Amino acid sequence: MFSTKVDPVMHTYNRFPLTLVKGKGSFVWDDKGQEYLDYTSGIATCNLGHAPEFVKGQVEEQLQELWHCSNLFEIPSQIKLAEKLVQNSCGDQVFFCNSGAEANEAAIKIARRYAQKVKGTESFEIVTFSSSFHGRTLATLAATGQEKIQQGFAPLMPGFRYLPYNDSEALSSLVKPNTCAVLLEVIQGEGGVIPANPEWLKKVASLCEEHDILLMIDEIQTGMGRTGSLFAYQQYGIEPDVISLAKGLGSGIPIGAIIAKEKVAAAFEPGSHGSTFGGNPVATTAGLATITYMVDNDIAYKAEQMGEYLVSKLELLQNKYDQIDTIRGKGLLVGIVVKGNAIDYVTKAREEHNLLILVAGPNVVRILPPLTTTQVEMDQFLFSFEAILKQMGN
Ligand SMILES: Cc1ncc(COP(=O)(O)O)c(C=O)c1O
């Protein structure tokens, strides 16, 4: 009996027909040697560009020493990275894991345990918002306010309630007797690059404070300088109790984390949470080098400046071409709401202009340049994007 061989990799992605084999700075190369301007940054992960020298050097040194040891031992780079994260945020203590979904899992677990162990209540419910995205594990897809992500995985994990995003009236039902936390993105990335209304967000924060409900901010896409500050919440005058991180934290080496206020962190004790790889020497060395370079070189400020330049130029294109409906986002997390299908712009960019960009929903083109991108590269992007707009107008 012969069986027909199927693709050895499960079909969980509709991949672009492109094989990338090399990356440096803002550029990547395919297996035929063709160069592309990469304004996807591995979906907001390679924030310092591909293979940044400082991170590479530190990781290479660590690879000469120790690759892995369990969390039963002290890990110096883990302690130093935790110190840096705490110094540069409103949090006090860090838990390390390996991905964004795991970071949000940790946030969900710590919120429930904080309510039950520290506050001494039975409350467990976490409020999240429509169009949010928090990950693909059973808990984080239940937290995600998008039915398409949840389809086929019933029964969903209980304990989540969804409210409309940016809707101040709906906040009257935010607090229920069993509510223990709110989890939200201050700019919804996957949901279409939708920034929170500052007044609405302040109202959420003050309701949380008033009712001792944890404010948990998912900074997995918005964090690590992407929006013009190290963390996006810092532009909104709020102080989260828990911050979840991943993507840009390791410059492409897998790492996730939550940073929590001391009173919340006290809910975890030996045995309540853990991860074999979480905070591993190589991953935390990459994280430490990344944040050190970012802070020392004020990369977030550079992202803010370059983001302003990008948006000002896009606004000129908007005046010229009907195809651009709206431009939104912050720093270098920019969404362009277009007429027609966003994927057609992305395909044209790749096939005809050697430019990699993304979608965020059916009609939003998402631009995620490395935060280190230069004005020359940005002008190259703008030149190509204008050519695409012209083509799409016909
Ligand atoms: C805001 C947000 N949260 C969580 C996640 C999940 O992260 P990961 O894919 O590393 O599990 C993502 C990934 O896109 C994200 O953008």
Side-chain angles (χ1 to χ4, degrees), residues 99-101 104 133-135 185 190 218 220-221 246-247:
S99 67
N104 283 334
F133 183 75
H134 298 298
E185 300 150 90
E190 301 302 306
D218 179 340
I220 289 157
Q221 188 152 157
K247 288 190 180 279

Side-chain angles (χ1 to χ4, degrees), residues 361-374:
N363 64 342
V364 182
V365 174
R366 185 170 28 159
I367 314 295
L368 290 166
L371 311 184
T372 48
T373 194
T374 62

Side-chain angles (χ1 to χ4, degrees), residues 119-173:
K119 262 171 74 183
T121 71
E122 288 303 311
S123 57
F124 59 85
E125 183 192 71
I126 298 176
V127 172
T128 67
F129 294 90
S130 53
S131 319
S132 58
F133 183 75
H134 298 298
R136 301 281 190 167
T137 60
L138 280 174
T140 57
L141 73 84
T144 292
Q146 295 189 55
E147 260 171 43
K148 68 170 194 226
I149 305 287
Q150 301 172 337
Q151 254 163 30
F153 299 111
L156 291 186
M157 193 180 133
F160 296 97
R161 183 158 58 87
Y162 317 99
L163 287 183
Y165 192 67
N166 273 340
D167 182 337
S168 291
E169 276 177 29
L171 293 182
S172 58
S173 61

Side-chain angles (χ1 to χ4, degrees), residues 57-338:
Q58 300 285 304
V59 169
E60 277 173 355
E61 268 179 37
Q62 185 60 45
L63 285 171
Q64 303 300 324
E65 302 297 330
L66 180 68
W67 292 21
H68 181 75
C69 67
S70 115
N71 275 302
L72 295 173
F73 302 95
E74 300 276 353
I75 301 174
S77 53
Q78 185 181 117
I79 298 167
K80 286 190 197 142
L81 174 56
E83 276 167 3
K84 276 267 179 208
L85 288 169
V86 164
Q87 278 162 14
N88 288 284
S89 72
C90 62
D92 301 308
Q93 288 187 292
V94 183
F95 173 83
F96 288 105
C97 51
N98 313 287
S99 67
E102 277 178 79
N104 283 334
E105 284 275 345
I108 292 162
K109 280 183 75 173
I110 211 167
R112 285 190 176 185
R113 211 171 146 89
Y114 169 75
Q116 290 165 35
K117 179 170 175 271
V118 180
K119 262 171 74 183
T121 71
E122 288 303 311
S123 57
F124 59 85
E125 183 192 71
I126 298 176
V127 172
T128 67
F129 294 90
S130 53
S131 319
S132 58
F133 183 75
H134 298 298
R136 301 281 190 167
T137 60
L138 280 174
T140 57
L141 73 84
T144 292
Q146 295 189 55
E147 260 171 43
K148 68 170 194 226
I149 305 287
Q150 301 172 337
Q151 254 163 30
F153 299 111
L156 291 186
M157 193 180 133
F160 296 97
R161 183 158 58 87
Y162 317 99
L163 287 183
Y165 192 67
N166 273 340
D167 182 337
S168 291
E169 276 177 29
L171 293 182
S172 58
S173 61
L174 182 98
V175 183
K176 296 254 167 93
N178 62 357
T179 311
C180 74
V182 167
L183 173 65
L184 63 85
E185 300 150 90
V186 297
I187 300 174
Q188 293 187 327
E190 301 302 306
V193 190
I194 305 171
N197 173 323
E199 293 314 308
W200 173 81
L201 189 52
K202 279 220 171 92
K203 212 164 160 193
V204 173
S206 69
L207 280 169
C208 285
E209 200 178 346
E210 198 183 322
H211 297 274
D212 198 8
I213 288 170
L214 297 183
L215 178 61
M216 308 204 293
I217 303 290
D218 179 340
E219 292 266 8
I220 289 157
Q221 188 152 157
T222 53
M224 302 313 291
R226 172 64 49 194
T227 69
S229 48
L230 192 60
F231 305 114
Y233 80 82
Q234 291 164 329
Q235 296 176 53
Y236 283 84
I238 57 165
E239 273 217 0
D241 299 294
V242 178
I243 301 158
S244 50
L245 284 179
K247 288 190 180 279
L249 180 55
S251 290
I253 304 292
I255 181 169
I258 56 167
I259 317 171
K261 296 252 192 204
E262 190 182 355
K263 68 167 188 184
V264 184
F268 275 174
E269 60 195 63
S272 44
H273 199 42
S275 160
T276 295
F277 290 122
N280 141 307
V282 176
T284 46
T285 296
L288 179 61
T290 300
I291 191 170
T292 302
Y293 188 89
M294 276 192 173
V295 172
D296 291 354
N297 295 281
D298 211 352
I299 295 297
Y301 178 70
K302 292 197 172 112
E304 184 193 354
Q305 298 290 297
M306 199 53 85
E308 279 172 14
Y309 179 74
L310 169 61
V311 169
S312 69
K313 294 287 180 186
L314 285 174
E315 279 167 356
L316 294 179
L317 294 180
Q318 187 181 20
N319 293 337
K320 234 166 126 184
Y321 299 95
D322 288 344
Q323 280 71 36
I324 299 186
D325 197 49
T326 321
I327 302 154
R328 57 195 189 209
K330 255 185 200 299
L332 288 174
L333 169 51
V334 173
I336 307 168
V337 184
V338 290

